[in-house]
């Protein structure tokens, strides 16, 4: 199926949720991370190489979160959307497993969760071991 013009506008890097996370990291004092680290499967959004910690930021719709936005599937062209969104979830699961098997810790943050900065900061502190 041909790609629709509005689909070309959907970014895969430096999205608003990613930028929000990076702002929270900066405000929380976390520095020295890499962005879209190509040496790990799936090019995680944020990677702390020295700590061997990886953070993925997932859009609720695209990655099938359990929130309202993630449960909202398009009514038209379901033959395209349902398999596509399911593949995204399966791919995410395989990437997390692969990265964990290589000895890294993985944290997944959802777009909807990034609205509560204090909660995200607490989760980051716990994940980073502080």
């Amino acid at each position: 199926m041909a790609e629709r013009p509005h689909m070309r506008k959907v970014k895969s890097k430096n999205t608003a949720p990613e930028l929000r996370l990076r702002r929270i990291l900066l405000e929380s004092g976390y520095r020295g991370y890499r962005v879209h680290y190509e040496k790990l499967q799936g090019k995680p959004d944020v990677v702390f190489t020295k700590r061997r910690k990886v953070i993925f930021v997932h859009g609720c719709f695209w990655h099938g979160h359990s929130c309202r936005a993630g449960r909202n599937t398009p009514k038209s062209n379901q033959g395209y959307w349902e398999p596509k969104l399911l593949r995204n979830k399966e791919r995410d699961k395989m990437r997390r497993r692969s990265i964990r098997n290589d000895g890294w810790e993985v944290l997944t943050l959802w777009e909807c969760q990034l609205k509560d900065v204090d909660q995200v900061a607490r989760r980051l502190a716990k994940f980073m071991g502080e």
Side-chain angles (χ1 to χ4, degrees):
M1 170 172 262
E3 187 175 340
R4 302 233 166 89
H6 65 277
M7 292 294 290
R8 281 186 227 124
K9 294 179 183 179
V10 177
K11 297 184 341 179
S12 62
K13 291 184 178 179
N14 300 316
T15 61
E18 284 181 39
L19 296 176
R20 198 172 306 132
L21 170 63
R22 296 197 319 236
R23 193 172 325 120
I24 294 169
L25 287 167
L26 184 65
E27 291 169 358
S28 300
Y30 298 110
R31 289 167 180 70
Y33 56 83
R34 295 181 174 263
V35 179
H36 307 123
Y37 192 58
E38 294 185 11
K39 293 182 181 179
L40 289 175
Q41 185 166 351
K43 298 180 192 171
D45 300 306
V46 174
V47 177
F48 291 90
T49 54
K50 291 179 182 173
R51 298 178 185 225
R52 296 187 63 83
K53 295 188 185 271
V54 168
I55 302 173
F56 283 102
V57 179
H58 286 336
C60 296
F61 170 76
W62 293 105
H63 296 269
H65 190 224
S66 60
C67 72
R68 185 174 184 217
R71 292 188 313 264
N72 182 23
T73 56
K75 301 296 180 233
S76 63
N77 204 7
Q78 288 182 338
Y80 170 78
W81 284 107
E82 287 180 10
K84 176 174 181 47
L85 298 175
L86 185 60
R87 278 192 316 270
N88 289 350
K89 289 174 75 168
E90 290 300 316
R91 185 183 62 235
D92 293 341
K93 192 185 308 181
M94 288 181 353
R95 286 178 175 167
R96 281 191 309 270
R97 185 178 307 129
S98 172
I99 291 170
R100 282 187 182 120
N101 287 342
D102 288 341
W104 295 74
E105 289 183 62
V106 178
L107 174 66
T108 301
L109 294 172
W110 295 93
E111 180 179 12
C112 64
Q113 294 171 335
L114 291 170
K115 294 174 185 174
D116 187 344
V117 175
D118 293 333
Q119 179 188 8
V120 172
R122 285 190 301 272
R123 285 190 66 194
L124 287 170
K126 183 176 179 182
F127 177 67
M128 299 301 275
E130 299 173 5

